[in-house]
Amino acid sequence: MSRTQWIQTKKLEIYATVVSDDCIRITYTPAGVKPQKPTIGVVLQSAAHDLKMGKSHKLSKSAENLKVSFENTPWSMTWDQVTGQLWVFKEDQLVSLDQPLQTGEPQLRYHRLGAVGLYGLGEKYNWMNRIESKTENWNTDVIGISPLHHGLLNTYHTSIPFHVSLHQDFVLGRFFDNSYRTAFDLDAQKENFFSFSADGGQIDSYIMCADSVKEVVRTYGKITGTMPMPRLDYLGYQQCRWSYMDQDEVVQVARQMRQHDIPLDVIYLDIDYMEDFKVFTTDPKRFSNVSTMTQTLGNMGVKTVAIVDPGVKVEKGYSVYDEALEQGYLVTTPEGKPYVGKVWPGDSAFPDFMRREVRDWWGAQHDFLLNQGIDGIWNDMNEPADMSTEDKTIPKDCIHLDDEGAAHTHQEIHNLYGNYEAMSTYKALKVKTNKRPFVLTRAAYAGAQRHAALWMGDNSSLWEHLESSIPMMVNMGISGYSFIGADIGGFLDNSNGELLVRWTQLGAFMPLFRNHSSKDTLMQEPWQFGDAVLNDVRAAIKTRYQLITYLYQCMRESHVHGDPVIRPLFYVSKDPETFNIQDQFFFGDALMICPVYRPGQKRRMVYLPEGKWHHFYSGQVYEGKQWLIVEAPITEIPVFVKEGTILPLDPARSFIQGPSKTLEISIYGGDSGEVSLYFDDGMSFEFENGICSEMTIGYRVVEEQVQVSVYSEGPYPVPEIKIVLKGSLAGKMVSIES
Ligand code: GLC
């Protein structure tokens, strides 16, 4: 879409587009320079029109107060034609100047507008509320740079230059679609200004405004896309290790899970399944019969995921390398020679995923694994990691080519590399298997949620890392990422029984539920720390399996609307008490989770927001808008259900094969309510042809009776349900109309 320029000054041109009612896109370019195309992070192409001179546009239907115009009414944003500055007024008072520096460098200073909280910014090891701090975006192999000291790191595996800020009367979102190394100063000096700067490219910003964080995040979802419908069985428990060293060990681990009555859906093959770490090979001795292994696992209901790193071993005679070299598919030096760095196989070259042709070629390589029964793919080291350089990635002046053959520096493409690889993998799996692909990625830029689940990199078996995974997940949720999780038990360093129990209890409420540990550390499967630990870990995993249908509904909301599964307490409410609470979170909109993140801790302080709350395990009902101390024995963490919730609970099973045949529907107090439950096969794309169903369950309390109505629509079989009344409803008569 060509864009008409809106304002021109001697040094600067500004393009302004109305993206939707609640979002405008503003691009600043040096005079005479056309605006760049959006990165692959952006999907939204439609419904946009250029902002006309002299016309105003209200930025939000609900917040009457923000609009882009040339007027000076309460809360208006006005552009100064001479300087190109965006001025923001409240009533007659000038409160902000958006100041693009006019040197041609992509830098922008914008007013804080009284923001009290700022969230999002992708994956960061830091406080949830990032106001008055600074950060940078450059996908980084953390372990290579600073093991165990993540707090000192400004950059992480994933970069999402999007933030959401809370203001007195409204919520603002700002997304800067710039894939270069970028930096935010979020008013670190307390001068009432934020700033954004980039090492290259342009300022291409999307400004969103609404009444709630939820609406802003949904708008961001329209711009960068939402997650695809996930496979239902991948919501189950996943077991990983660097590495299970041979095919017998992999099968043995799965068998032990079954012997110990631990539900398990997925097991992983880390790098040692390959021959000399060469991608798309298997070790001829230790993994001599992968097909038989995957079949044996499959018979137990266990799916196998294999790791695929982008680094291709430089070795003549190795077909993947030979083909890539011959076809010119590799990232090159500025002189045009394939760049050679170092990853697990030693000297390695890197596919240039920027080109469709290369992505398709790489995708086709996966047939080798898929033909042997591998079901999902784990994309690691895709920052990309390169152990041969000081900053642990390939040099910025390396060259990528786009589909038209134009050259782009690695400096521009670096943060997009993970997205491009995930695109390739997702498509390959979809085309080959016709099942919903499971792709797991470590590195990502905005929009990668469309192709891959994400785990938050190499953490350590430290209580602090359990704790920090909470704000990290919350901010990833606000950044549009739902299918996320942290390595349960901790990756580096030795875990211990209590840590594993507490982390698994938190993990039961992380969308990606994966236990993973590093080489040379204690094994950390559920039975490794004795019977007491085994029992508590098993109980936590079983709780998760009760919530599969509920989680699937949350994932669907994420797919349809872009709502995150992990949400901060202030997601919908405006209770200032919650703006800095980062050790509790919502799992969907019905459950509030309060993890335990200190050793020896047997009770904890929790904040209950407005309303009534039912303790998930004890059933006790509490009034909201208060702080209180609740018990947190080693057997459980405090979980609260919002009054009025209609919660589906699955019966126990050891792995997932389609939706449960029966569901217990718990109604937690209140006078009336309604929920819509969605069902499909959880596996194929048949839902796109209407092979799915929706069951609507409503209830009303009339005198001493609870009248429940159940209606289903659609061809997919729905489960039988049993109604269970909780709290004030317990003991009342039920009548069911269907
Ligand atoms: C990286 C990954 C880790 C994996 C290891 C070996 O450190 O982050 O999860 O186990 O590489 O492949």
Side-chain angles (χ1 to χ4, degrees), residues 143 242 270-271 307 309 344 378 380-381 442 455 457-458 487 491 514 516-517:
I143 193 177
W242 176 17
D270 206 327
I271 48 174
I307 197 167
D309 289 346
W344 307 121
W378 171 20
D380 186 25
M381 308 293 273
R442 187 169 78 173
W455 95 103
D458 292 335
D487 284 347
F491 174 68
R514 186 180 81 147
H516 183 37
S517 57

Side-chain angles (χ1 to χ4, degrees), residues 266-396:
V266 181
I267 200 156
Y268 284 72
L269 306 183
D270 206 327
I271 48 174
D272 295 283
Y273 79 87
M274 294 178 263
E275 182 182 17
D276 299 334
F277 307 122
K278 286 186 280 193
V279 274
F280 309 117
T281 69
T282 48
D283 186 277
K285 286 206 189 87
R286 291 175 293 104
F287 286 86
S288 58
N289 202 339
V290 171
S291 301
T292 308
M293 178 195 74
T294 54
Q295 212 163 48
T296 312
L297 291 166
N299 292 341
M300 286 190 269
V302 179
K303 280 66 58 179
T304 314
V305 172
I307 197 167
V308 172
D309 289 346
V312 174
K313 187 174 171 69
V314 173
E315 183 182 278
K316 285 238 152 60
Y318 162 41
S319 66
V320 180
Y321 173 70
D322 287 347
E323 264 177 54
L325 187 68
E326 211 174 280
Q327 301 291 334
Y329 286 165
L330 298 167
V331 175
T332 66
T333 62
E335 294 75 38
K337 295 220 164 63
Y339 170 75
V340 177
K342 271 204 171 30
V343 207
W344 307 121
D347 284 352
S348 305
F350 299 84
D352 183 5
F353 298 124
M354 192 181 188
R355 271 170 287 162
R356 182 185 299 267
E357 192 186 343
V358 181
R359 290 199 297 276
D360 288 348
W361 164 78
W362 181 259
Q365 305 301 313
H366 288 76
D367 284 2
F368 171 78
L369 296 169
L370 301 175
N371 289 341
Q372 298 180 72
I374 299 296
D375 192 61
I377 298 292
W378 171 20
N379 284 166
D380 186 25
M381 308 293 273
N382 51 355
E383 291 75 21
D386 173 2
M387 297 158 186
S388 73
T389 63
E390 202 181 321
D391 64 352
K392 301 291 174 236
T393 191
I394 65 183
K396 290 186 184 135

Side-chain angles (χ1 to χ4, degrees), residues 102-122:
Q102 299 202 20
T103 55
E105 285 166 24
Q107 288 189 42
L108 183 80
R109 213 163 112 87
Y110 49 109
H111 201 273
R112 176 170 169 164
L113 297 174
V116 288
L118 186 140
Y119 314 89
L121 295 167

Side-chain angles (χ1 to χ4, degrees), residues 51 77 163 489 593:
L51 192 59
M77 295 164 91
H163 63 69
I593 319 302

Side-chain angles (χ1 to χ4, degrees), residues 73-343:
T73 49
W75 275 115
S76 64
M77 295 164 91
T78 300
W79 292 89
D80 183 279
Q81 283 187 58
V82 182
T83 62
Q85 285 167 334
L86 172 61
W87 300 30
V88 181
F89 295 87
K90 185 166 190 183
E91 265 112 43
D92 274 340
Q93 256 195 316
L94 177 66
V95 291
S96 132
L97 293 180
D98 244 13
Q99 295 171 318
L101 298 187
Q102 299 202 20
T103 55
E105 285 166 24
Q107 288 189 42
L108 183 80
R109 213 163 112 87
Y110 49 109
H111 201 273
R112 176 170 169 164
L113 297 174
V116 288
L118 186 140
Y119 314 89
L121 295 167
E123 183 194 49
K124 304 283 179 198
Y125 181 89
N126 220 306
W127 304 119
M128 177 181 71
N129 185 352
R130 302 305 311 282
I131 200 119
E132 291 164 13
S133 71
K134 287 183 179 187
T135 194
E136 287 174 41
N137 300 301
W138 182 252
N139 292 354
T140 302
D141 175 19
V142 173
I143 193 177
I145 299 278
S146 172
L148 300 183
H149 294 283
H150 301 5
L152 299 176
L153 280 176
N154 241 338
T155 57
Y156 231 78
H157 306 284
T158 282
S159 300
I160 305 183
F162 169 61
H163 63 69
V164 172
S165 48
L166 304 181
H167 304 257
Q168 177 91 37
D169 310 323
F170 53 87
V171 178
L172 272 183
R174 291 231 189 198
F175 170 49
F176 293 90
D177 185 25
N178 184 311
S179 62
Y180 287 78
R181 186 182 187 110
T182 55
F184 284 102
D185 180 334
L186 304 159
D187 202 16
Q189 301 305 320
K190 302 192 188 162
E191 291 166 340
N192 285 325
F193 279 94
F194 299 144
S195 74
F196 171 81
S197 60
D199 277 5
Q202 296 173 351
I203 300 263
D204 188 1
S205 67
Y206 295 76
I207 306 174
M208 300 147 232
C209 177
D211 260 359
S212 65
V213 179
K214 178 175 181 160
E215 291 165 87
V216 168
V217 173
R218 282 186 170 193
T219 302
Y220 174 75
K222 285 186 194 130
I223 297 164
T224 62
T226 62
M227 65 174 286
M229 276 304 284
R231 279 268 295 271
L232 185 65
D233 46 2
Y234 278 79
L235 305 185
Y237 179 67
Q238 314 193 354
Q239 185 64 51
C240 191
R241 168 79 179 174
W242 176 17
S243 300
Y244 297 125
M245 292 303 290
D246 60 45
Q247 57 204 20
D248 294 339
E249 189 182 2
V250 181
V251 171
Q252 195 51 29
V253 171
R255 286 215 172 101
Q256 277 172 286
M257 291 283 176
R258 295 291 176 251
Q259 279 155 14
H260 291 296
D261 182 27
I262 297 181
L264 173 73
D265 264 283
V266 181
I267 200 156
Y268 284 72
L269 306 183
D270 206 327
I271 48 174
D272 295 283
Y273 79 87
M274 294 178 263
E275 182 182 17
D276 299 334
F277 307 122
K278 286 186 280 193
V279 274
F280 309 117
T281 69
T282 48
D283 186 277
K285 286 206 189 87
R286 291 175 293 104
F287 286 86
S288 58
N289 202 339
V290 171
S291 301
T292 308
M293 178 195 74
T294 54
Q295 212 163 48
T296 312
L297 291 166
N299 292 341
M300 286 190 269
V302 179
K303 280 66 58 179
T304 314
V305 172
I307 197 167
V308 172
D309 289 346
V312 174
K313 187 174 171 69
V314 173
E315 183 182 278
K316 285 238 152 60
Y318 162 41
S319 66
V320 180
Y321 173 70
D322 287 347
E323 264 177 54
L325 187 68
E326 211 174 280
Q327 301 291 334
Y329 286 165
L330 298 167
V331 175
T332 66
T333 62
E335 294 75 38
K337 295 220 164 63
Y339 170 75
V340 177
K342 271 204 171 30
V343 207

